[in-house]
Amino acid sequence: MRKSVLLPLLLFSLVAVLAVLIPTANAFAESRTRGLVLARQGATEHLARAARAAIEDGSFEFLQQQLDRHAEVYGEPSLVVDADGTTIATTGVLQPDRADVLAVVGASADTLPRWNITTITPWGPAHALVAEPVLGGIDQSVGTVVLEARLDRAQRDVAVAWGVSSAAAAALLTGLALIALRWTNSVLRPVRALDEASRAFPPRHDVARFAHSGPPELRSLADSFDQMAAGVERALAQQRSFVADASHQLRNPLAAIRLRLDALSLGTHTDDDLHRIDEDTERLEHIVDRMLTLAGVEHRVISAATGTETAVPKVRVIPSAEGLVMPHVPLHTACGQTLTASGGPVTVECALSDLEEMVELGLDNARKYAGEGAHVRVALQAAGEWVDLTISDDGPGLNDADLAHAQSRFWRGNGSDRTAAPQSGTGLGLAILTGLARANGGTLALAHAAAGGLELRIRLRSGAETA
C-alpha cells in the first residue's frame, strides 16, 4: 500500500518539477540567443556602414581596421565582398570560396540579412554564419559583410544555467520526495499499526492500544478497531469463564446420573433411583436453559458496550408497579409470602419483555430465599434521569461478604443466613438480572434492605423527556 500511495505522489512531483524546469531552461536559452543575435546585428550593421563608405571612397584601410577590431573583441573571423564577389577586406580563417560562405553571399543579394542562428543549446553547433548586405544609395546591394559568429560562450552560459536549474530542480524534487515519504508514513502509520494489531490479536488476545495519528478517517478506523478488539477480548474472556463455570456446574448432575445408571446396569439400584434420575435430568435441563439465557444476555451486554445494535428493540413503556407484580401474587401467596407494590406509573427506556423478566427474576429470588411469612415489596420511583425499580424483603438477607459475590455466575449462598437450601437454584438468576439491566443501559445494585432482608435496586434510564 505504501508504494501505491508514494509512487503517484513522486510521479506528480516529477511532472510538476519538469513542467517548471523545461520552460525555464528554454526561456533562458532563447534569451541568451536573442542577446547574441542583437550583439551581432549591431556589429554587422556597423561593419556594413564602414564597407559602404570604403566602397564609395575606394579606401579600405578603415574597413580593415574595423574587421580586425571585431576579431579582437569577439574572436570571430569575417570578410567583406563587393557586388562582384571580390574580397575587399578579411580577417581570420574565413575563406570566401567556401560553399556555405558563397551560399549566404548569394542569398544576401536580395538586400535581406541572412541569419542562421537557431536557439542555442549546449549540444548545438559551435559556429554560425551571418550575412549583412551593404546597401548603396538606391537600396541596392553593393557588397556583403560575412562573419562566423562563435556560439561556444553562449553555449557555456546555457549549460551553466541549465546545470544550476537542474540542480535546483533535483533539490526541489528531493525535498518533495522527502515530504511525500514523510506524509505517506504519517498516513499509513495507523494502517501499519492496525495491521500489526490484527496479526497479533488472534494468538495473544491482548493487543496494546496505540496512539492514533493520520487523517481523521484513519483515526476513526483505529478507534473502531480498538472498540472491536476490546469487545472481542471481553467476549473471549466471558466465553472462557462461561465454559469453565458451565463445566463445573454440569459435572455434578451428570456424575449423579452416571452413578445411578451404573447402579441400574449392575442391578444394585433402589426403587428411588429412577425418580432421582428424572429429577437430576430436569435439574440439568433447567441449568442448560438458564445458561443459554445468560449467554444471550451477555452477548447483548457486549453489543451495547461496543455500540452494536441488538436484536431486542428498545421501546418506551409506562408500567405501574401493580401491573408488573400482579401475575406473581398467587405464587408468593402459595409460598406464604406477602407481595405488595407501590409507585408509578413511570416511563423507562427498556424493552417490556426485559422489564418483566427482571421483575420475575427478582421476585423468584425472594420466593426462594426470603422464607415463609416474608413481606416482599416492589417499588417504582423516578429519580431525575433515572427510574429505580426496587425489590426488597424482610427475610434473613445476605452478609457483606456474600453481597460482594451474589451477582457472579453460579454463585450460591452457603445457607447460613438463608432459609432455602444452598443448591435449590442454579446460581444464575442474579447474573442474568445484572446482564439484562446492563443490556438496557442500567445497573443492578444489591444492598441490605431497611426491613432487614435483601434489596435489589434496578436503575434504568427514564424516557420521560423523549416519550
Side-chain angles (χ1 to χ4, degrees), residues 65-78 91-92:
Q65 292 176 355
Q66 296 302 309
L67 292 181
D68 293 340
R69 177 62 179 169
H70 179 84
E72 181 182 350
V73 173
Y74 295 105
E76 298 173 345
S78 58
T91 183

Side-chain angles (χ1 to χ4, degrees), residues 75-424:
E76 298 173 345
S78 58
L79 61 84
V80 179
V81 298
D82 59 14
D84 297 329
T86 302
T87 303
I88 58 177
T90 183
T91 183
V93 296
L94 189 60
Q95 301 298 323
D97 56 352
R98 280 173 39 183
D100 53 349
V101 173
L102 294 175
V104 297
V105 170
S108 65
D110 57 0
T111 70
L112 294 176
R114 293 298 173 180
W115 294 84
N116 297 325
I117 301 178
T118 58
T119 301
I120 298 173
T121 60
W123 51 82
H127 302 85
L129 284 177
V130 296
E132 180 76 21
V134 179
L135 300 179
I138 56 175
D139 291 336
Q140 290 183 346
S141 176
V142 297
T144 304
V145 176
V146 181
L147 62 87
E148 190 173 40
R150 292 181 54 183
L151 308 182
D152 53 346
R153 296 177 182 174
Q155 287 176 322
R156 284 196 299 271
D157 293 343
V158 172
V160 170
W162 284 11
V164 172
S165 299
S166 298
L172 178 60
L173 186 60
T174 301
L176 291 175
L178 292 176
I179 294 174
L181 180 62
R182 185 178 182 86
W183 183 83
T184 301
N185 290 336
S186 175
V187 170
L188 297 184
R189 186 177 297 113
V191 176
R192 290 195 297 271
L194 285 174
D195 181 65
E196 294 174 0
S198 300
R199 293 176 184 274
F201 187 78
R204 296 208 317 262
H205 311 305
D206 59 350
V207 179
R209 303 297 179 261
F210 51 88
H212 298 165
S213 61
E217 294 81 3
L218 290 180
R219 291 199 296 268
S220 176
L221 175 62
D223 290 335
S224 300
F225 178 85
D226 279 351
Q227 294 178 6
M228 180 274 294
V232 172
E233 289 174 9
R234 287 194 296 268
L236 291 174
Q238 288 186 350
Q239 182 186 52
R240 290 192 292 268
S241 176
F242 186 83
V243 170
D245 291 342
S247 300
H248 176 73
Q249 294 299 321
L250 294 177
R251 185 182 296 115
N252 290 337
L254 286 175
I257 292 174
R258 183 176 181 84
L259 288 175
R260 291 187 174 90
L261 289 175
D262 290 342
L264 287 174
S265 63
L266 295 175
T268 59
H269 64 281
T270 64
D271 294 337
D272 193 45
D273 282 339
L274 290 177
H275 177 68
R276 290 187 178 275
I277 290 175
D278 184 61
E279 289 181 345
D280 288 337
T281 303
E282 289 182 356
R283 178 185 170 199
L284 185 62
E285 182 180 2
H286 183 55
I287 291 176
V288 171
D289 287 341
R290 284 295 195 182
M291 288 170 56
L292 291 175
T293 300
L294 179 61
V297 170
E298 289 183 342
H299 170 70
R300 291 176 54 195
V301 171
I302 294 176
S303 299
T306 57
T308 306
E309 294 293 334
T310 60
V312 179
K314 292 289 185 67
V315 296
R316 300 179 181 89
V317 297
I318 309 177
S320 63
E322 291 83 357
L324 287 174
V325 304
M326 188 176 298
H328 304 278
V329 173
L331 298 175
H332 284 266
T333 301
C335 294
Q337 296 178 349
T338 303
L339 177 60
T340 59
S342 62
V346 295
T347 303
V348 295
E349 291 188 358
C350 177
L352 180 58
S353 59
D354 288 349
L355 185 61
E356 292 174 344
E357 187 170 1
M358 284 188 281
V359 172
E360 180 180 354
L361 290 169
L363 293 179
D364 179 69
N365 185 77
R367 285 197 302 272
K368 290 179 179 178
Y369 301 109
E372 186 177 357
H375 185 184
V376 182
R377 298 174 177 85
V378 178
L380 276 173
Q381 182 178 3
E385 298 180 356
W386 301 90
V387 171
D388 289 338
L389 170 61
T390 305
I391 302 174
S392 61
D393 61 69
D394 56 2
L398 294 173
N399 58 39
D400 292 337
D402 287 343
L403 280 177
H405 300 92
Q407 293 172 264
S408 303
R409 286 195 299 259
F410 298 108
W411 180 89
R412 300 182 184 91
N414 57 20
S416 61
D417 49 1
R418 304 294 277 176
T419 60
Q423 300 296 325
S424 61

